[in-house]
Amino acid sequence: MELIQQTPDLSAYLVADEVIDHHHPRVRQTAAHLAETVADSYGYAQAAFEYVRDGITHSQDAGDPRVTWRASDVLEQGTGICYAKAHALAALLRAEDIPTALCYQRLAHDDGDGHVVHGLVAVRFNGAWHRQDPRGNKPGVDARFSLTGERLAWVPDPALGEVDYPTLHAAPHPAVLGALRAAPDRRQLWRTLPVAL
């Protein structure tokens, strides 16, 4: 699949905003700690990915009712669903000047009843974009950081109505952000998650 930048301006994928708030002290502190342990930007990107994938719980997996959406809040509270974890990883990567986009997939629910939009990121290295899924591993899910072939949590099946959206977003999709901001808890969020973009 060919990934398509929402904007040709690469600097848009380094911007700090209300959601990907990489200027926030919590993001800066976490980024500095991760940067101390690696030799280069590739090592940093992998360390940041593994930190978010393994160190921030997926709130559904953990049974955590909290809804986070701002990167600094995700890092502070240590929980979030896929979108929130993608926001946190984007902030950590952008904090170290690594262009990072938000990406989405449309996936079927585990029970086959309906669809939901899933969030992940893409990082730019060596003149190309590489999608990464920091959702968090569990039985049946083994996402890994890779620049040599995608190792995502899921590969969409068109026969099930699943889709890989090719657009690389510089900011969260409004439907995603609207659902996160409006939900008082994860249970309500699950009823209002976007089913398509």
Side-chain angles (χ1 to χ4, degrees):
M1 176 183 69
E2 182 181 349
L3 298 173
I4 302 165
Q5 287 182 209
Q6 184 182 37
T7 173
D9 182 2
L10 199 57
S11 68
Y13 298 96
L14 292 168
V15 168
D17 59 25
E18 181 185 16
V19 179
I20 303 172
D21 57 343
H22 63 75
H23 57 277
H24 190 280
R26 180 61 183 227
V27 178
R28 289 291 185 190
Q29 177 186 24
T30 304
H33 173 72
L34 291 169
E36 290 174 355
T37 66
V38 297
D40 56 23
S41 60
Y42 173 83
Y44 175 82
Q46 183 170 359
F49 170 83
E50 291 173 355
Y51 178 82
V52 173
R53 182 194 65 190
D54 302 337
I56 306 295
T57 63
H58 188 285
S59 55
Q60 172 71 15
D61 295 349
D64 192 323
R66 295 175 291 172
V67 175
T68 54
W69 52 269
R70 184 179 288 116
S72 57
D73 293 338
V74 175
L75 296 175
E76 179 71 36
Q77 296 182 38
T79 193
I81 66 166
C82 61
Y83 311 128
K85 292 182 71 162
H87 299 165
L89 179 56
L92 289 173
L93 294 171
R94 290 182 184 187
E96 291 295 313
D97 294 321
I98 299 171
T100 307
L102 299 170
C103 317
Y104 302 96
Q105 297 173 317
R106 180 179 191 242
L107 301 172
H109 284 292
D110 291 339
D111 61 9
D113 183 26
H115 293 85
V116 68
V117 173
H118 174 62
L120 49 156
V121 304
V123 296
R124 185 148 177 106
F125 275 102
N126 303 321
W129 289 100
H130 307 273
R131 293 191 306 167
Q132 314 293 330
D133 193 340
R135 178 234 180 266
N137 290 337
K138 63 179 186 173
V141 175
D142 185 27
R144 306 212 175 219
F145 185 84
S146 176
L147 302 181
T148 58
E150 293 187 335
R151 296 288 308 271
L152 306 178
W154 294 284
V155 176
D157 182 349
L160 299 175
E162 297 181 333
V163 177
D164 262 326
Y165 293 110
T167 303
L168 298 168
H169 297 266
H173 192 282
V176 167
L177 191 53
L180 288 168
R181 284 180 164 161
D185 57 37
R186 185 180 43 79
R187 179 182 214 105
Q188 179 62 31
L189 176 62
W190 242 237
R191 296 185 189 111
T192 60
L193 289 174
V195 298
L197 297 180

